[in-house]
Amino acid sequence: MRGSGPGILLAHGGGGSVAGNYGPILDDLATTHTVVGPDYPGSGDTPRSATPLVLDDVADALVATAVDAGVERFTVLGYSLGTAVAVRIAVRHPERVNGLVLTAGFAYPDNRIRLAVRVWRDLLATGDRTLLARYLTLLGTGASHLDALSGDQVEAGVAALADYIPAGSPEHVDLVAAVDTRPDLPRIHVPTLVVATAEDDLATPDHSRRLAAGIPGAELVEIAAGHGIGAEARDEWLAAIRSLLARVR
């Protein structure tokens, strides 16, 4: 937990962490809000789960962490898999949720995501972290951002990602494949901003458009970035989040 002011609860992506997915904007958010960012089992300092992850359980655990920290109400920021967690939090704990920001998300995995996570899972099983990092870099980086990097920068990024892969990634990837929050969307009645990553080859912009169309009154913005929006379009992402936070306030 960091900062002070109205509450923010962070839900990170599969195979990610709060620091990995929200690191570029954490300090900025904490200048105006109390930010609670629990990692899922197997990420950060959270022990790995011995059983498959269940979306309801992950959602409830994040809420419990915030409440235990004294943050009774909050806006939920969900990224990638975290958008499904955020939606489920809003449905299961409506009395605690002030608003939602859903970035690079999806309500269910289409065939493209299913194929991507199947390869991800198979690469995890090989134990070749560098090969997995190359695959995730290709899949998760917008074309314009990737092409602007030098060869050395690409290799450095791959090496850093290979060192970062969380131990709980297999459980995270399996949860991605199991998500379906379509029945939840019409039940959300808090201010919601959906941020589509317009150059995303994993959670393509159509996923965000369908999320926004399914949530009553949701606003949709599109930002020119791949799945790794924090690295590719930090300022634009932060500005979009702040626009929702101001509306909630």
Side-chain angles (χ1 to χ4, degrees):
M1 186 171 71
R2 65 177 75 186
S4 61
I8 289 176
L9 178 60
L10 304 177
H12 66 74
S17 66
V18 166
N21 296 153
Y22 291 102
I25 62 173
L26 275 177
D27 288 342
D28 293 272
L29 294 175
T31 61
T32 55
H33 287 72
T34 300
V35 182
V36 181
D39 287 311
Y40 304 155
S43 284
D45 294 328
T46 307
R48 185 175 179 181
S49 175
T51 58
L53 298 180
V54 176
L55 188 61
D56 286 354
D57 294 343
V58 174
D60 291 350
L62 263 62
V63 171
T65 300
V67 173
D68 288 347
V71 181
E72 299 282 345
R73 291 184 62 88
F74 35 74
T75 298
V76 189
L77 275 54
Y79 167 79
S80 191
L81 171 62
T83 62
V85 177
V87 165
R88 192 57 56 85
I89 288 173
V91 169
R92 290 175 64 83
H93 305 275
E95 74 285 356
R96 298 200 180 279
V97 177
N98 294 324
L100 299 176
V101 180
L102 309 176
T103 302
F106 57 95
Y108 68 97
D110 61 4
N111 288 335
R112 185 182 190 86
I113 291 180
R114 289 185 183 279
L115 285 169
V117 298
R118 176 65 183 270
V119 174
W120 190 347
R121 191 70 161 87
D122 290 346
L123 289 172
L124 279 166
T126 71
D128 190 335
R129 298 171 68 92
T130 298
L131 182 59
L132 174 57
R134 292 189 190 284
Y135 170 70
L136 294 177
T137 298
L138 178 64
L139 187 67
T141 311
S144 58
H145 183 79
L146 187 60
D147 288 342
L149 300 175
S150 69
D152 288 344
Q153 287 174 319
V154 171
E155 291 306 311
V158 167
L161 182 56
D163 288 339
Y164 160 80
I165 295 166
S169 291
E171 293 81 49
H172 297 184
V173 171
D174 288 346
L175 182 56
V176 169
V179 159
D180 190 348
T181 60
R182 283 174 287 185
D184 297 329
L185 302 183
R187 301 171 59 192
I188 295 174
H189 298 289
V190 293
T192 300
L193 174 66
V194 179
V195 180
T197 37
E199 298 181 10
D200 198 332
D201 288 329
L202 178 59
T204 59
D206 281 343
H207 282 284
S208 289
R209 294 171 191 141
R210 288 192 287 268
L211 274 175
I215 298 172
E219 177 187 357
L220 174 69
V221 299
E222 300 196 13
I223 293 177
H227 204 64
I229 187 172
E232 299 180 37
R234 173 201 175 277
D235 293 347
E236 295 89 340
W237 187 29
L238 181 61
I241 292 169
R242 282 179 166 160
S243 73
L244 185 283
L245 294 174
R247 181 150 50 103
V248 168
R249 260 182 144 174

